[in-house]
């Protein structure tokens, strides 16, 4: 909380106290959201739904080469203002979770998107960049287990950040 005060001053960023385009770990996010369970349980998942009505989506844009195909989600930027995301592979459109995501606005669910280019760089776990709230485009949900859905970002990602996220600079990207 002291770090927040030092870096953001007295500005009110609303609840859950997240500043757009700032970097957070999953643990930081749990603390800033007043997450009531063990903060360590906030790690290791791509979708956190237990802080309802706020759902937190954490995305690794560039997956490791040895990732299992079942979790090799096709998450990507379509444009600076549009993001394609795939739900966890157990989610169908007819499930309550699927409906919460697809119809988030009607159901009063706030979807928050966090993205990082790589999970690790030189053995160091990278933080996620908070891109703000997202809304699904109506009728964009396709498929089941996983559902592919297009989100409109509340604010388009700045050009420099968009270029960084979409340009692959590691050796893994040669064939992708």
């Amino acid at each position: 909380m002291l770090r927040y005060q030092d870096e953001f001053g007295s500005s009110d960023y609303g609840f859950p106290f997240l500043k757009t385009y700032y970097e957070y770990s999953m643990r930081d996010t749990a603390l800033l959201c007043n997450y009531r369970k063990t903060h360590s349980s906030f790690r290791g998942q791509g979708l956190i739904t237990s802080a309802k009505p706020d759902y937190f989506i954490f995305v690794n844009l560039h997956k490791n080469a040895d990732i299992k195909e079942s979790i090799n989600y096709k998450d990507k930027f379509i444009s600076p203002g549009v993001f394609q995301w795939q739900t966890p592979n157990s989610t169908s459109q007819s499930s309550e979770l699927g409906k919460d995501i697809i119809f988030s606005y009607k159901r009063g669910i706030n979807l928050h998107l966090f993205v990082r280019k790589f999970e690790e760089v030189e053995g160091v776990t990278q933080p996620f960049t908070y891109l703000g709230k997202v809304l699904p485009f109506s009728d964009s949900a396709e498929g089941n287990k996983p559902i592919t859905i297009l989100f409109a970002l509340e604010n388009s990602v700045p050009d420099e950040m968009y270029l960084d996220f979409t340009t692959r600079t590691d050796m893994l990207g040669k064939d992708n």
Side-chain angles (χ1 to χ4, degrees):
M1 297 310 276
L2 289 174
R3 179 179 138 207
Y4 186 90
Q5 184 177 356
D6 287 344
E7 294 183 22
F8 302 125
S10 61
S11 297
D12 182 0
Y13 292 97
F15 186 81
F17 308 118
L18 299 165
K19 184 176 181 182
T20 308
Y21 311 129
Y22 196 77
E23 294 180 339
Y24 298 91
S25 69
M26 284 185 172
R27 190 176 195 302
D28 290 341
T29 305
L31 290 168
L32 292 170
C33 301
N34 295 326
Y35 189 64
R36 299 195 187 281
K37 296 183 181 179
T38 305
H39 294 143
S40 62
S41 67
F42 213 75
R43 295 182 317 211
Q45 302 178 37
L47 175 64
I48 307 296
T49 61
S50 52
K52 198 171 186 176
D54 292 284
Y55 285 9
F56 301 93
I57 301 167
F58 294 91
V59 175
N60 293 320
L61 286 173
H62 302 296
K63 316 307 192 255
N64 294 330
D66 60 349
I67 192 168
K68 291 189 290 186
E69 190 55 37
S70 63
I71 58 172
N72 190 12
Y73 300 114
K74 309 300 184 243
D75 306 322
K76 63 183 178 180
F77 282 95
I78 303 299
S79 72
V82 179
F83 191 81
Q84 175 181 294
W85 179 66
Q86 288 190 309
T87 64
N89 61 17
S90 60
T91 309
S92 69
Q93 291 191 37
S94 61
S95 69
E96 283 306 306
L97 177 57
K99 290 175 188 176
D100 278 353
I101 293 166
I102 296 166
F103 306 110
S104 58
Y105 182 77
K106 290 178 185 174
R107 289 179 165 226
I109 306 282
N110 300 308
L111 302 175
H112 300 271
L113 180 62
F114 296 79
V115 172
R116 64 182 171 192
K117 191 169 183 172
F118 300 106
E119 183 176 359
E120 286 187 355
V121 173
E122 296 180 359
V124 177
T125 301
Q126 298 300 294
F128 291 90
T129 301
Y130 178 57
L131 299 184
K133 290 182 184 177
V134 293
L135 285 172
F137 282 98
S138 60
D139 301 326
S140 73
E142 294 182 353
N144 278 301
K145 298 183 179 186
I147 303 167
T148 302
I149 192 160
L150 296 179
F151 289 133
L153 280 72
E154 198 170 49
N155 299 301
S156 290
V157 174
D159 291 339
E160 188 175 306
M161 185 177 284
Y162 176 74
L163 184 62
D164 180 48
F165 279 139
T166 58
T167 303
R168 190 122 187 201
T169 56
D170 65 326
M171 294 304 291
L172 296 173
K174 286 188 346 188
D175 298 322
N176 292 341

